[in-house]
Amino acid sequence: MPNFCAAPNCTRKSTQSDLAFFRFPRDPERCRIWVENCRRADLEAKTSDQLNKHYRLCAKHFDPAMVCKTSPYRTVLKDTAIPTIFDLTSHLKNPHTRHRKRIKELTEEDLRKIKERRLASSIDQLGSKKDATVEASTSTAEDEPQLSTEEKELREYLRSLFEVVVMLGKQSIPIVVGKPSEAEFVSNNFQALLDYRMNAGDEALNKKFQATAVNTQYVSATQQNQLLDICENTVREEMLMEVRESRFFSLVTGDLVEFSNEKHLPLFVHFVNQHNVLREEFLDFMSFDGDESALVERLEAQLTDRWGLSMEDCRGQAHKATGTSTTKMKAVAVLLMEKYPLALHMPCSHLALNVHLANSLPFPNVQVVMETLRRIGAFFKTPFTQDELEKAISTHYQKNEEKGATLKQACGSGWTEQHNVFDLLLDMLPPLLLCMDSIRENGDGKFDDTLAANAHSVTEILSDFEIIVTVVILKNVLTFTRAFGRNLQGETLDVFFAANSLTAVLHSLNEVNDNIEVYHEFWYEEAVNVADVMGIPVKVPRLFLRKQRAAEVGEIQAEAYFKEYVTVPVIHGIMQEVEDMFSETNLKALKCLSLVPAVMGQMKFNTTEENYADVYRNDLPSPDTLPAELHCWRIKWKHRGKEVRLPTTIHETLQLPDVKFFPNVNSFLKVLSALPVLKLEDSQSDKASDRLQAYLDSVSATQWNKSLAMLNVNTHVKHDLDVMVDKYCRLYPEDEAEGEADELADAVEEAETK
């Protein structure tokens, strides 16, 4: 498995070289000597078990005589090996660089003890070198001991198993399909693929199972889970290594997913890799149990203890929450910002701002509208239902064919997630109701009973006047944020101007709030007209009337009710959410996008990044020289040649060969690019969240598997089967595997004799 070297000033990692990496020893005394030689003060408080589990040293820190390559796949240390080769001075050449591997200053007593140990170690190593010379002179064939035949066969067998697991993940194939009856032999796709490979001539599998009965389970459920865990962890570590190299990242969470009757939160990271390309990767599912504080603690433990990331380097967070989880995730965001002020809470780059704002409102009627929108989006994914919707549009708008054609074009895939979704929904309400009625009646038997039942359920919701009023209010209030939200998902220049237009957006919302009586009157009249077209009676919700009668309060008029319980709460909720999502610190960060040359050009090179740079001052290598460097940066682009085009995005700017001569600007841009509000450079279809949703849509919910989801979503991440085999052999020694095989063989033999 890929590893980082724990030695100070050593940046080697296993993916960049063929070097071996060695765990810290479990023996407390030897482990203490390794730590002292490393001079890592932060490791002294850790136990030998913790160090053995989480930390490695590469072979460069050991005398070559202490390292023995036992096979092309395996390199080991001699039992007495002590690391003695370290670089403890190179960091002094760049004192401004932040070093996480802090070097301990030694006292005279420490130096004396180290000299004594090194003298003893030198004597041992000298003897080892002599022994090695004698062995080399007697037989050159023993220079590199080979694996035994049994070990080779075991490795080939495991490699075949891992190939099958990886293929299952990549192709979205569940391990188990359906629930066979008790009389049937319990098999699964994994077993079936092993059968196929053996029939195709896989020697490793044939040797392992040639004496096994045909209907025997080749690999136990426990071993299958072990294989899945190792595949998942290996792929995740590849991505985490890139995140650690980049240092800065943002945390992004998705919609809740339910596994085994337990809700889980998908976790993504948003970061810029070493090629200066903005990436968003799916890392894991995390249990959603507990309150907000428990969730924050679990997040921190996952990111820091398990994955080796630092929350101090988290520069943003975005949470795509829906339904009842919205309030909980907002509280989580607040708690994280209290502990880590630079983990700015921002909208997600691939979620329309208006959809996010509506999702954030905790009111039941709004949540019913948003849930219905999601159901409608899923309902019309099939060609049959989409055709039925287009027929209904044509029927309803037969006197206005131009509008009908516009709506048909607009209601394609993904329309329920667009910035103008509530405008479209309002125009679509009459044909939607017509379409759902047609499917519910199902006169020609074209649709199955489940689809007809879903259509009936949606019809009942759309026929409620309270829902129509809610849609009208959302449409009109969110009109003021629509252009702002669209710009946030645009190019860098659009995002910069969006940050500068927020004052105007808030002014418009405040103006509506101050004149709510007038606005509500117009909006309520619009809702009544829509209801009249759809044949829906105008009335106060039945539940509210029942409560009023129970309290012996006079009846309230419908217009007054919807003003007090819909219009006012929605406008106040939207205003509060906008102010929370775009605090002063958030706006300062976005205004720093003026560092991008194309934005500078639009501003006539009259930009003032210095006024906002204090937000990220501690992230810069030389903050004191920033004003002078920014001046040079502006002059460079202002006096460029006529043929030189101004870079328009952060990605383009970071790709420039001479940006390295502006270290503060370079660091500044890398921090900004990690903000979750900035869109990915890749195509829209290549987002990790879309790939995860594609997996969830293609596999039945009863067959979802967290490890297979991880493999499927991250098929672009390279995987090394030999690394997986090595890790399996370390975690589950050969004797345990053979013990299981012996038990299995005994069980088969016993079954055959009965």
Side-chain angles (χ1 to χ4, degrees), residues 495-521:
V495 179
F496 174 77
F497 284 122
N500 286 278
S501 68
L502 181 65
T503 303
V505 173
L506 289 174
H507 176 76
S508 298
L509 292 173
N510 276 305
E511 196 270 337
V512 171
N513 186 51
D514 293 340
N515 299 278
I516 196 67
E517 296 279 354
V518 177
Y519 280 96
H520 174 72
E521 183 179 346

CSV table of all heavy atoms in Angstrom, one decimal, residues 495-521:
chain,number,residue,atom,x,y,z
A,495,VAL,N,-17.8,34.5,-11.2
A,495,VAL,CA,-17.8,34.3,-9.7
A,495,VAL,C,-17.3,35.6,-9.0
A,495,VAL,O,-17.9,36.0,-8.0
A,495,VAL,CB,-16.9,33.1,-9.3
A,495,VAL,CG1,-16.9,32.9,-7.8
A,495,VAL,CG2,-17.3,31.8,-10.0
A,496,PHE,N,-16.3,36.2,-9.6
A,496,PHE,CA,-15.8,37.4,-9.0
A,496,PHE,C,-16.9,38.5,-9.0
A,496,PHE,O,-17.1,39.2,-7.9
A,496,PHE,CB,-14.6,37.9,-9.7
A,496,PHE,CG,-14.1,39.3,-9.3
A,496,PHE,CD1,-13.3,39.4,-8.1
A,496,PHE,CD2,-14.4,40.4,-10.0
A,496,PHE,CE1,-12.9,40.6,-7.7
A,496,PHE,CE2,-13.9,41.7,-9.6
A,496,PHE,CZ,-13.2,41.8,-8.5
A,497,PHE,N,-17.6,38.7,-10.1
A,497,PHE,CA,-18.6,39.7,-10.2
A,497,PHE,C,-19.8,39.3,-9.3
A,497,PHE,O,-20.5,40.2,-8.8
A,497,PHE,CB,-19.0,40.0,-11.6
A,497,PHE,CG,-18.0,40.8,-12.4
A,497,PHE,CD1,-17.4,40.3,-13.5
A,497,PHE,CD2,-17.6,42.0,-11.9
A,497,PHE,CE1,-16.5,41.0,-14.2
A,497,PHE,CE2,-16.7,42.8,-12.6
A,497,PHE,CZ,-16.1,42.3,-13.7
A,498,ALA,N,-20.1,38.0,-9.1
A,498,ALA,CA,-21.2,37.6,-8.2
A,498,ALA,C,-20.9,38.0,-6.8
A,498,ALA,O,-21.8,38.5,-6.1
A,498,ALA,CB,-21.3,36.1,-8.3
A,499,ALA,N,-19.6,37.9,-6.4
A,499,ALA,CA,-19.2,38.3,-5.0
A,499,ALA,C,-19.4,39.8,-4.8
A,499,ALA,O,-19.8,40.2,-3.7
A,499,ALA,CB,-17.8,37.9,-4.8
A,500,ASN,N,-19.2,40.6,-5.9
A,500,ASN,CA,-19.4,42.0,-5.8
A,500,ASN,C,-20.8,42.5,-6.0
A,500,ASN,O,-21.1,43.6,-5.8
A,500,ASN,CB,-18.5,42.7,-6.8
A,500,ASN,CG,-17.0,42.7,-6.4
A,500,ASN,OD1,-16.5,43.5,-5.6
A,500,ASN,ND2,-16.3,41.7,-7.0
A,501,SER,N,-21.7,41.5,-6.4
A,501,SER,CA,-23.1,41.9,-6.6
A,501,SER,C,-24.0,41.5,-5.4
A,501,SER,O,-25.2,41.7,-5.5
A,501,SER,CB,-23.6,41.3,-7.9
A,501,SER,OG,-23.7,39.9,-7.7
A,502,LEU,N,-23.5,40.9,-4.4
A,502,LEU,CA,-24.3,40.4,-3.3
A,502,LEU,C,-25.0,41.5,-2.6
A,502,LEU,O,-26.2,41.3,-2.2
A,502,LEU,CB,-23.4,39.6,-2.3
A,502,LEU,CG,-24.2,39.0,-1.1
A,502,LEU,CD1,-25.2,37.9,-1.6
A,502,LEU,CD2,-23.3,38.5,-0.1
A,503,THR,N,-24.4,42.7,-2.5
A,503,THR,CA,-25.1,43.8,-1.8
A,503,THR,C,-26.4,44.1,-2.5
A,503,THR,O,-27.4,44.4,-1.8
A,503,THR,CB,-24.2,45.0,-1.8
A,503,THR,OG1,-22.9,44.7,-1.2
A,503,THR,CG2,-24.8,46.2,-1.0
A,504,ALA,N,-26.4,44.1,-3.8
A,504,ALA,CA,-27.6,44.4,-4.6
A,504,ALA,C,-28.7,43.4,-4.4
A,504,ALA,O,-29.9,43.7,-4.3
A,504,ALA,CB,-27.3,44.5,-6.1
A,505,VAL,N,-28.2,42.1,-4.3
A,505,VAL,CA,-29.2,41.0,-4.1
A,505,VAL,C,-29.9,41.2,-2.7
A,505,VAL,O,-31.1,41.1,-2.6
A,505,VAL,CB,-28.5,39.6,-4.1
A,505,VAL,CG1,-29.4,38.5,-3.7
A,505,VAL,CG2,-27.9,39.4,-5.5
A,506,LEU,N,-29.1,41.4,-1.7
A,506,LEU,CA,-29.6,41.6,-0.3
A,506,LEU,C,-30.5,42.8,-0.3
A,506,LEU,O,-31.6,42.8,0.4
A,506,LEU,CB,-28.5,41.7,0.7
A,506,LEU,CG,-27.7,40.4,1.0
A,506,LEU,CD1,-26.5,40.7,1.9
A,506,LEU,CD2,-28.7,39.4,1.6
A,507,HIS,N,-30.2,43.9,-1.0
A,507,HIS,CA,-31.0,45.1,-1.1
A,507,HIS,C,-32.4,44.8,-1.6
A,507,HIS,O,-33.4,45.2,-1.1
A,507,HIS,CB,-30.3,46.2,-1.9
A,507,HIS,CG,-31.1,47.4,-2.1
A,507,HIS,ND1,-31.3,48.4,-1.1
A,507,HIS,CD2,-31.9,47.9,-3.1
A,507,HIS,CE1,-32.1,49.3,-1.5
A,507,HIS,NE2,-32.4,49.0,-2.7
A,508,SER,N,-32.4,44.0,-2.7
A,508,SER,CA,-33.7,43.6,-3.3
A,508,SER,C,-34.5,42.8,-2.4
A,508,SER,O,-35.7,43.0,-2.3
A,508,SER,CB,-33.4,42.8,-4.6
A,508,SER,OG,-32.7,43.6,-5.6
A,509,LEU,N,-33.9,41.8,-1.7
A,509,LEU,CA,-34.7,41.0,-0.7
A,509,LEU,C,-35.2,41.8,0.4
A,509,LEU,O,-36.3,41.6,0.9
A,509,LEU,CB,-33.8,39.9,-0.2
A,509,LEU,CG,-33.4,38.8,-1.2
A,509,LEU,CD1,-32.4,37.8,-0.6
A,509,LEU,CD2,-34.6,38.0,-1.7
A,510,ASN,N,-34.4,42.8,0.9
A,510,ASN,CA,-34.9,43.7,2.0
A,510,ASN,C,-36.0,44.6,1.5
A,510,ASN,O,-37.0,44.8,2.3
A,510,ASN,CB,-33.7,44.5,2.5
A,510,ASN,CG,-32.9,43.8,3.5
A,510,ASN,OD1,-33.4,43.3,4.5
A,510,ASN,ND2,-31.6,43.7,3.2
A,511,GLU,N,-36.0,45.0,0.2
A,511,GLU,CA,-37.0,45.8,-0.3
A,511,GLU,C,-38.3,45.0,-0.4
A,511,GLU,O,-39.4,45.5,0.0
A,511,GLU,CB,-36.6,46.3,-1.7
A,511,GLU,CG,-37.5,47.5,-2.2
A,511,GLU,CD,-38.7,47.0,-3.0
A,511,GLU,OE1,-38.7,45.8,-3.5
A,511,GLU,OE2,-39.7,47.7,-3.0
A,512,VAL,N,-38.3,43.7,-0.7
A,512,VAL,CA,-39.4,42.9,-0.7
A,512,VAL,C,-40.0,42.7,0.7
A,512,VAL,O,-41.2,42.8,1.0
A,512,VAL,CB,-39.1,41.5,-1.3
A,512,VAL,CG1,-40.3,40.5,-1.1
A,512,VAL,CG2,-38.8,41.6,-2.8
A,513,ASN,N,-39.1,42.5,1.6
A,513,ASN,CA,-39.5,42.3,3.0
A,513,ASN,C,-40.2,43.5,3.6
A,513,ASN,O,-41.2,43.4,4.3
A,513,ASN,CB,-38.3,41.9,3.9
A,513,ASN,CG,-38.6,41.6,5.3
A,513,ASN,OD1,-39.5,40.7,5.5
A,513,ASN,ND2,-38.0,42.2,6.3
A,514,ASP,N,-39.7,44.7,3.2
A,514,ASP,CA,-40.3,46.0,3.7
A,514,ASP,C,-41.6,46.2,3.1
A,514,ASP,O,-42.5,46.9,3.7
A,514,ASP,CB,-39.3,47.1,3.4
A,514,ASP,CG,-38.0,47.1,4.2
A,514,ASP,OD1,-38.0,46.4,5.2
A,514,ASP,OD2,-37.0,47.7,3.7
A,515,ASN,N,-41.9,45.7,1.9
A,515,ASN,CA,-43.2,45.9,1.3
A,515,ASN,C,-43.9,44.6,1.1
A,515,ASN,O,-44.5,44.3,0.0
A,515,ASN,CB,-43.0,46.6,-0.1
A,515,ASN,CG,-42.3,47.9,0.1
A,515,ASN,OD1,-43.0,48.9,0.3
A,515,ASN,ND2,-41.0,48.0,-0.1
A,516,ILE,N,-43.9,43.7,2.1
A,516,ILE,CA,-44.4,42.4,2.0
A,516,ILE,C,-45.9,42.3,1.7
A,516,ILE,O,-46.4,41.4,1.0
A,516,ILE,CB,-44.1,41.6,3.3
A,516,ILE,CG1,-44.2,40.1,3.0
A,516,ILE,CG2,-44.9,42.1,4.4
A,516,ILE,CD1,-43.3,39.5,2.1
A,517,GLU,N,-46.6,43.3,2.2
A,517,GLU,CA,-48.1,43.3,1.9
A,517,GLU,C,-48.4,43.4,0.4
A,517,GLU,O,-49.2,42.7,-0.1
A,517,GLU,CB,-48.7,44.5,2.7
A,517,GLU,CG,-48.6,44.5,4.2
A,517,GLU,CD,-49.6,43.6,4.8
A,517,GLU,OE1,-50.5,43.1,4.0
A,517,GLU,OE2,-49.6,43.4,6.0
A,518,VAL,N,-47.7,44.3,-0.2
A,518,VAL,CA,-47.9,44.5,-1.7
A,518,VAL,C,-47.5,43.3,-2.5
A,518,VAL,O,-48.3,42.8,-3.3
A,518,VAL,CB,-47.2,45.8,-2.2
A,518,VAL,CG1,-47.4,46.0,-3.7
A,518,VAL,CG2,-47.6,47.0,-1.4
A,519,TYR,N,-46.3,42.8,-2.2
A,519,TYR,CA,-45.8,41.7,-3.0
A,519,TYR,C,-46.7,40.4,-2.7
A,519,TYR,O,-47.0,39.7,-3.7
A,519,TYR,CB,-44.3,41.4,-2.6
A,519,TYR,CG,-43.3,42.3,-3.2
A,519,TYR,CD1,-42.9,43.4,-2.6
A,519,TYR,CD2,-42.9,42.0,-4.5
A,519,TYR,CE1,-42.0,44.3,-3.2
A,519,TYR,CE2,-41.9,42.9,-5.1
A,519,TYR,CZ,-41.5,44.0,-4.4
A,519,TYR,OH,-40.6,44.8,-5.0
A,520,HIS,N,-47.1,40.2,-1.5
A,520,HIS,CA,-47.9,39.0,-1.2
A,520,HIS,C,-49.2,39.1,-1.9
A,520,HIS,O,-49.7,38.0,-2.4
A,520,HIS,CB,-48.1,38.9,0.3
A,520,HIS,CG,-49.0,37.7,0.6
A,520,HIS,ND1,-48.7,36.4,0.5
A,520,HIS,CD2,-50.4,37.7,1.0
A,520,HIS,CE1,-49.7,35.6,0.8
A,520,HIS,NE2,-50.7,36.4,1.1
A,521,GLU,N,-49.8,40.2,-2.0
A,521,GLU,CA,-51.1,40.4,-2.7
A,521,GLU,C,-51.0,39.9,-4.2
A,521,GLU,O,-51.8,39.2,-4.7
A,521,GLU,CB,-51.5,41.8,-2.7
A,521,GLU,CG,-52.9,42.0,-3.3
A,521,GLU,CD,-53.4,43.5,-3.2
A,521,GLU,OE1,-52.8,44.3,-2.4
A,521,GLU,OE2,-54.3,43.8,-3.9
